[in-house]
Amino acid sequence: MSTLPKTLTFDTSTSRANPTPQPMKRLTVPRIRQRKGGEPIVMLTAYTVRQAQLLDPHCDMLLVGDSLAQVIYGLPHTVGVTMEMMALHGAAVVRGSYHAAVIVDMPFGSYEGSPEQAFDNAARLLKETGAAAVKVEGGKVLAPTIEFLTQRGIPVMGHVGLTPQAVNILGGYGVRGKSEEEARSIVEDAVAVAQAGAFSIVIEGVLESIAIEITGKVDCPTIGIGASAQCDGQVLVTDDMLGMFERVPKFVKRYQDMAGVINGAVKDYADEVRSRSFPTEDQIYQG
């Protein structure tokens, strides 16, 4: 007979990492899909347990984005992200959340080779993280892979328009869809991805008219980033909207100057250490 306790409890007095679970059910992929045309979907990126804890009550989805390349690792672009990075950060975000559906980016090189390669790597991410779905970048060329995954039980979020993993082909991060030909191609990409079974599609860095057209043509929710307020939801890189970096894309609204807050707090600490005013007697263990 098992000697394991029937009820799992967390000792919150001794661990920052394990909060008391909240009495709520986590959002599922089908429930997200049902939000098409309804209440806008709120999505932000998350990379750590504590970040997930803070964002979770306010978000419908948390994206463990390969943007961690720049935000966490200081890489110049997302091409250098590995499966190990995504798995470790994905698991941390799942541990830190109870409400939002967690989506994990598949890194460059982990899904483009074949549907079978994509399945092996997507299955690994879902197993090792406990996330609800994976996200892949690409349009018509990725449609067969998305269909292959969804038919085998792996929910997929699509991503069209500006696709950062293709930075070496695109030559930068400029707005996409300025020409009529490119605009038409982006719309066709989104329609193909939706028809292949994607439960939602991120539309990044395109002219607003393109985002509006896609949102009207596909039957799954669209998530805009530098696209249009008329999308079914919005996503931003959390560190951008919190003001952690000096330079951010034009489409980002800074809701706080966290870099300034942190700089001020650390300066106060450094000043007190150098003046020997910290620690005080209240912060010292007495015998």
Side-chain angles (χ1 to χ4, degrees):
M1 180 177 293
S2 173
T3 59
L4 293 174
K6 297 183 183 302
T7 303
L8 178 64
T9 59
F10 294 105
D11 182 0
T12 57
S13 66
T14 61
S15 175
R16 294 185 181 92
N18 297 316
T20 302
Q22 297 298 311
M24 62 177 67
K25 291 184 177 180
R26 191 184 291 275
L27 287 170
T28 62
V29 164
R31 288 180 65 189
I32 294 295
R33 190 180 184 102
Q34 291 168 3
R35 296 275 289 274
K36 175 68 178 179
E39 180 184 4
I41 297 165
V42 179
M43 184 172 173
L44 284 170
T45 61
Y47 315 107
T48 66
V49 167
R50 185 55 180 155
Q51 194 174 41
Q53 291 170 352
L54 295 172
L55 302 180
D56 188 54
H58 310 287
C59 293
D60 302 304
M61 291 191 286
L62 293 175
L63 173 65
V64 187
D66 58 2
S67 49
L68 58 77
Q70 297 100 326
V71 173
I72 302 294
Y73 293 98
L75 298 172
H77 44 62
T78 61
V79 174
V81 172
T82 66
M83 283 286 293
E84 287 71 23
M85 291 177 185
M86 299 313 304
L88 289 170
H89 288 276
V93 170
V94 170
R95 285 196 296 270
S97 60
Y98 297 96
H99 167 66
V102 177
I103 318 300
V104 180
D105 261 334
M106 295 192 68
F108 177 74
S110 69
Y111 59 93
E112 298 91 338
S114 68
E116 291 78 13
Q117 178 207 28
F119 179 83
D120 289 344
N121 285 318
R124 174 188 169 184
L125 284 179
L126 295 191
K127 286 180 179 180
E128 294 187 13
T129 66
V134 297
K135 182 169 78 64
V136 300
E137 296 182 9
K140 296 182 286 290
V141 70
L142 259 294
T145 295
I146 293 171
E147 184 176 8
F148 189 89
L149 294 179
T150 57
Q151 288 181 346
R152 287 159 178 78
I154 297 179
V156 178
M157 173 181 283
H159 185 149
V160 301
L162 172 59
T163 49
Q165 290 180 8
V167 63
N168 290 325
I169 291 291
L170 299 177
Y173 297 101
V175 175
R176 313 309 302 178
K178 290 184 177 181
S179 72
E180 182 178 343
E181 180 181 1
E182 186 179 40
R184 183 172 61 253
S185 179
I186 292 171
V187 173
E188 291 173 352
D189 281 343
V191 170
V193 166
Q195 291 176 344
F199 76 91
S200 61
I201 302 173
V202 170
I203 307 174
E204 179 171 1
V206 303
L207 298 179
E208 183 177 34
S209 58
I210 298 172
I212 293 173
E213 182 178 355
I214 291 172
T215 300
K217 283 189 172 181
V218 301
D219 61 0
C220 63
T222 57
I223 310 297
I225 175 167
S228 170
Q230 300 308 308
C231 291
D232 296 299
Q234 300 293 324
V235 63
L236 285 175
V237 172
T238 297
D239 298 71
D240 287 344
M241 57 87 71
L242 289 179
M244 290 292 287
F245 296 101
E246 288 73 23
R247 297 179 62 187
V248 296
K250 176 184 177 180
F251 57 77
V252 173
K253 177 179 178 180
R254 288 186 179 181
Y255 288 82
Q256 184 56 268
D257 176 24
M258 288 305 299
V261 172
I262 293 170
N263 183 64
V266 174
K267 180 181 182 301
D268 289 346
Y269 165 74
D271 290 345
E272 290 186 9
V273 169
R274 292 182 178 118
S275 67
R276 298 190 184 277
S277 58
F278 174 85
T280 65
E281 288 188 4
D282 291 339
Q283 283 109 30
I284 297 174
Y285 294 107
Q286 302 293 337

